[in-house]
C-alpha cells in the first residue's frame, strides 16, 4: 500500500509557464514533506521542504503548498525553464517513525522551449 | 558535487560473486542510509545507521549486509544475489537531530546488474 502517491507519471509544460506537480499521502502521522529532483545518471537532489505546521514554503522559483486536511501537497515552479526537465519525487516522513523517508514514484517533467 | 560519493557507479556481477558498494559522505552528517530503486518503483529504504548504529532494517534479505565503520563511511556487502536484485542502489546522509526534520542528501548511486 503506497503511502505517498504521485498520480501523474509525466507532465509537459511550455517554457515560461507554471509547472504544478502534485502529491497525495495517506498517513496522517507524516509531519515533514520534501521534494527532490533527479536527472538521469544522478542521485536525487533536495529541492525544498515543508513542515506540517506551515502551509506554504517558497524558495526562488519553487513553492511548496501543503493542504493537511486533503493530505495533499504540490510543487509550483514558475517560470519553468528547460533545465527543470527531470523526474520530481515527493517524500514524507514522521518523527514517530524516526524520520524515515517514504517516496512517491515520481513525475517526469518536460519543459519545452 | 553532492557531498555524498558512491563507488562504483556501475557493477555487473554473477549470482555467486561477492562484491561491496561503498559510500562516503563529506557533509559532517551523523546518519546514513541505503535505498534501492527498481525500475518503475519508488525508492525503498533498506537500512538506516544513526551515530554508527543500525537503527532500521527494512526486512531486507540477508544476502545484503551493511557495514558502517564510522559516521562518514557506509558499505553494502553483496553475496549470492538474485536477478531481481538488479537495481539502482542509492546512499544518503543527513544530520539527525532529535525533534528537528532535516533533508537527506543523496549520492549518484550504483547501477547494479546481476547476470
Amino acid at each position: 500500500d503506497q503511502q505517498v502517491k504521485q498520480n501523474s507519471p509525466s507532465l509537459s509544460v511550455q517554457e515560461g509557464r507554471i509547472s504544478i506537480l502534485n502529491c497525495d499521502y495517506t498517513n496522517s502521522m507524516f509531519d515533514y514533506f520534501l521534494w527532490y529532483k533527479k536527472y538521469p545518471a544522478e542521485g536525487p537532489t533536495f529541492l525544498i521542504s515543508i513542515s506540517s505546521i506551515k502551509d506554504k514554503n517558497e524558495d526562488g522559483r519553487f513553492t511548496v503548498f501543503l493542504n493537511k486536511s486533503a493530505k495533499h501537497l504540490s510543487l509550483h515552479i514558475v517560470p519553468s525553464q528547460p533545465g527543470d526537465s527531470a523526474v520530481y519525487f515527493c517524500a514524507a516522513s514522521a518523527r514517530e517513525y524516526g524520520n524515515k523517508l517514504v517516496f512517491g514514484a515520481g513525475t517526469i517533467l518536460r519543459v519545452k522551449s | 558535487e553532492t557531498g555524498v560519493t558512491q563507488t562504483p557507479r556501475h557493477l555487473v556481477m554473477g549470482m555467486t560473486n561477492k562484491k561491496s558498494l561503498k559510500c562516503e559522505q563529506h557533509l559532517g552528517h551523523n546518519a546514513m542510509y541505503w535505498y534501492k530503486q527498481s525500475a518503475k518503483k519508488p525508492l525503498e529504504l533498506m537500512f538506516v545507521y544513526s551515530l554508527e548504529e543500525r537503527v532500521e532494517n527494512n526486512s531486507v534479505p540477508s544476502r545484503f549486509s551493511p557495514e558502517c565503520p564510522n559516521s562518514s563511511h557506509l558499505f553494502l556487502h553483496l553475496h549470492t544475489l538474485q536477478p531481481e536484485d538488479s537495481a539502482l542502489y542509492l546512499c544518503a546522509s543527513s544530520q539527525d537531530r532529535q525533534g528537528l526534520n532535516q533533508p537527506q542528501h543523496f549520492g549518484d548511486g550504483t547501477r547494479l546488474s546481476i547476470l
Side-chain angles (χ1 to χ4, degrees):
Chain A
D1 179 37
Q2 268 192 277
Q3 298 185 69
V4 177
K5 295 179 187 176
Q6 293 177 255
N7 291 319
S8 298
S10 65
L11 174 68
S12 189
V13 170
Q14 197 66 36
E15 181 180 7
R17 306 295 293 267
I18 184 170
S19 295
I20 300 176
L21 296 127
N22 293 302
C23 179
D24 296 293
Y25 61 96
T26 57
N27 191 335
S28 57
M29 300 294 285
F30 287 144
D31 55 15
Y32 184 54
F33 304 88
L34 309 90
W35 284 96
Y36 284 83
K37 171 180 170 180
K38 185 179 183 301
Y39 292 121
E42 293 184 13
T45 302
F46 169 68
L47 261 183
I48 192 168
S49 63
I50 187 166
S51 164
S52 60
I53 62 173
K54 293 185 171 183
D55 54 21
K56 177 182 172 182
N57 189 24
E58 194 172 347
D59 184 2
R61 296 185 298 114
F62 302 91
T63 303
V64 56
F65 294 92
L66 176 62
N67 182 335
K68 286 190 293 293
S69 60
K71 294 193 179 70
H72 177 84
L73 68 155
S74 60
L75 175 69
H76 292 210
I77 306 173
V78 56
S80 301
Q81 299 172 355
D84 295 329
S85 299
V87 182
Y88 288 79
F89 294 98
C90 166
S93 69
R95 251 167 290 182
E96 280 75 7
Y97 307 144
N99 289 325
K100 293 187 314 179
L101 285 182
V102 179
F103 281 85
T107 297
I108 300 169
L109 173 65
R110 293 187 187 89
V111 180
K112 299 177 287 187
S113 54
Chain B
E1 177 61 47
T2 67
V4 180
T5 305
Q6 289 187 243
T7 54
R9 292 296 310 276
H10 302 273
L11 179 61
V12 179
M13 57 188 283
M15 288 192 283
T16 57
N17 292 156
K18 284 185 186 180
K19 295 283 184 186
S20 296
L21 310 185
K22 180 182 174 184
C23 177
E24 184 174 357
Q25 59 97 0
H26 312 275
L27 300 169
H29 289 163
N30 61 6
M32 296 186 78
Y33 312 79
W34 279 116
Y35 286 86
K36 175 183 178 182
Q37 186 176 29
S38 304
K40 303 208 188 302
K41 290 175 71 173
L43 274 76
E44 301 170 65
L45 180 65
M46 299 174 73
F47 300 104
V48 180
Y49 276 82
S50 181
L51 299 170
E52 299 156 36
E53 281 190 31
R54 192 191 310 182
V55 297
E56 186 77 29
N57 177 346
N58 254 13
S59 304
V60 180
S62 59
R63 56 186 185 268
F64 295 92
S65 173
E67 179 191 358
C68 187
N70 56 61
S71 59
S72 300
H73 293 87
L74 185 65
F75 295 90
L76 188 62
H77 304 299
L78 315 171
H79 175 52
T80 323
L81 295 195
Q82 304 298 309
E84 62 266 26
D85 297 323
S86 298
L88 179 68
Y89 289 84
L90 288 158
C91 171
S93 71
S94 69
Q95 187 59 24
D96 198 10
R97 291 198 185 108
Q98 192 116 17
L100 277 180
N101 295 305
Q102 297 290 323
Q104 294 175 22
H105 296 267
F106 285 82
D108 287 335
T110 295
R111 175 68 62 184
L112 176 65
S113 299
I114 307 300
L115 301 177

